[in-house]
Amino acid sequence: MLTCLQQLSFHDRWIQWIKECISTFSYSIVGNNEPGGFFRPTRGLRQGDPLSPYLFIICMNVLASRLHEQSLIKKSGIGVKIAPFAPRISCLLFADDSLIFCKASYQACQKLKEILDTFCAQSRQLINFHKSSLVLSKNTRFFERQVVGGIFNISHSMSIGKYLGCSLFHGRPSFDLFHHLVDKAQTKLTSWKKKCFSKAGRVVLIQSNLEALLVHTMQCYKLPARVTDQLDRINQEVFWKNASSAKGMPLVAWDKICRPKQLGGLGIRKTATVNTAFLAKLG
């Protein structure tokens, strides 16, 4: 840590302050409103300390720089290109999670393991192999899968899974990938007694509950048209149906209801339109 600060040209006094913060502090646990005495940790700052994320970013910048330098070497196998003339992306870091790209070959994986082992030895950080997984291309041969798995000693996975509540996937988004949003909206409806609500109350329910369920996902992905159509259909059922078994009779076209209130509508927003608006900020 102190070496990293020196390499980044921090002032000696600042480095000394940081050294005192990470080497001379102690903790005390309060139980039943009484402190239980002080003790000194053996592995530096803990998660939750105000300084912890800033110092962690400085340390991880060392790993990112080493991976980037290795990716600049031709045929090193470190990093991936998203376009023919685009620079190689060696890793993506968010908080304490890392996504590292590497070719599924013995030479590339062995070099990547050497970089990780060196970084762990110097930073005194350890990789949690129980929370790590290898995601290989479908074109990777069985022999290469065995070699890569043996080098890192990490289990294979078909997909990365979910991160911050959003699914990580390969290729184009499919209906099955986002079908859980439709199921979540349907589950929300089962606890509502729609016959007890007026039309104004149903508008408030749609705007404050059903639309809010999708905000986080729609800021990250372009939802398939089939998903947005089903979500709009659920909103229509909430607005028009009086009971779960009854069939509602729409008296006004849904396009007119989705107009702004200044134009004679009720201000309900279509899912596809909101999705496009959220993605506009991503450029």
Side-chain angles (χ1 to χ4, degrees):
M1 168 57 65
L2 301 179
T3 304
C4 293
L5 294 177
Q6 291 175 354
Q7 292 293 330
L8 293 173
S9 302
F10 280 88
H11 195 276
D12 292 339
R13 181 180 296 180
W14 174 264
I15 297 176
Q16 184 63 30
W17 289 345
I18 296 298
K19 181 179 179 180
E20 293 180 0
C21 288
I22 63 179
S23 61
T24 62
F25 66 98
S26 60
Y27 290 116
S28 178
I29 299 177
V30 177
N32 297 327
N33 296 325
E34 295 182 0
F38 289 88
F39 64 94
R40 299 188 60 178
T42 59
R43 295 189 62 85
L45 295 175
R46 289 305 193 198
Q47 188 173 4
D49 192 289
L51 277 177
S52 181
Y54 301 102
L55 300 180
F56 182 79
I57 290 173
I58 294 176
C59 287
M60 294 304 295
N61 184 58
V62 176
L63 176 61
S65 299
R66 292 177 180 177
L67 292 173
H68 177 66
E69 292 175 359
Q70 193 65 31
S71 67
L72 297 178
I73 302 175
K74 291 184 177 181
K75 298 182 179 180
S76 64
I78 305 296
V80 63
K81 285 187 175 183
I82 60 176
F85 299 101
R88 288 187 175 272
I89 301 175
S90 58
C91 63
L92 297 175
L93 307 177
F94 185 84
D96 58 346
D97 296 316
S98 305
L99 188 63
I100 302 176
F101 303 98
C102 176
K103 185 178 180 180
S105 64
Y106 176 81
Q107 293 79 6
C109 294
Q110 192 64 36
K111 186 61 179 180
L112 176 59
K113 190 174 188 305
E114 292 177 3
I115 295 175
L116 294 176
D117 291 342
T118 303
F119 175 75
C120 291
Q122 294 177 348
S123 64
R124 297 184 181 180
Q125 299 187 61
L126 298 176
I127 300 175
N128 191 339
F129 292 101
H130 297 288
K131 294 183 178 180
S132 304
S133 61
L134 292 173
V135 181
L136 302 174
S137 169
K138 61 181 180 181
N139 298 324
T140 307
R141 294 175 295 181
F142 178 78
F143 172 74
E144 294 172 337
R145 294 174 181 267
Q146 296 296 324
V147 171
V148 173
I151 293 176
F152 293 104
N153 195 22
I154 300 176
S155 60
H156 297 173
S157 177
M158 297 301 296
S159 64
I160 303 178
K162 290 186 176 182
Y163 188 74
L164 298 179
C166 294
S167 300
L168 302 178
F169 56 89
H170 303 280
R172 303 174 70 88
S174 62
F175 172 78
D176 295 335
L177 193 64
F178 297 100
H179 189 263
H180 67 280
L181 298 176
V182 180
D183 295 336
K184 188 183 294 185
Q186 291 283 7
T187 304
K188 200 80 172 178
L189 296 180
T190 57
S191 61
W192 294 348
K193 296 181 180 180
K194 294 186 288 295
K195 62 181 180 180
C196 300
F197 292 102
S198 63
K199 292 297 188 220
R202 299 183 188 193
V203 171
V204 173
L205 282 176
I206 293 173
Q207 293 176 335
S208 61
N209 287 272
L210 295 181
E211 290 184 0
L213 286 174
L214 315 170
V215 169
H216 180 59
T217 305
M218 289 195 297
Q219 292 183 66
C220 302
Y221 301 118
K222 177 68 175 178
L223 300 181
R226 186 179 171 189
V227 175
T228 57
D229 291 343
Q230 287 203 14
L231 292 170
D232 287 337
R233 194 173 299 114
I234 291 174
N235 291 341
Q236 294 181 46
E237 292 178 358
V238 173
F239 186 77
W240 291 115
K241 291 176 66 173
N242 293 324
S244 58
S245 59
K247 184 177 181 180
M249 178 64 69
L251 304 178
V252 182
W254 188 248
D255 290 338
K256 294 183 178 180
I257 292 179
C258 292
R259 292 176 181 174
K261 293 182 179 180
Q262 296 84 348
L263 301 179
L266 297 179
I268 297 177
R269 302 179 297 179
K270 287 188 175 182
T271 307
T273 305
V274 177
N275 192 188
T276 304
F278 278 134
L279 293 177
K281 69 178 184 179
L282 299 179

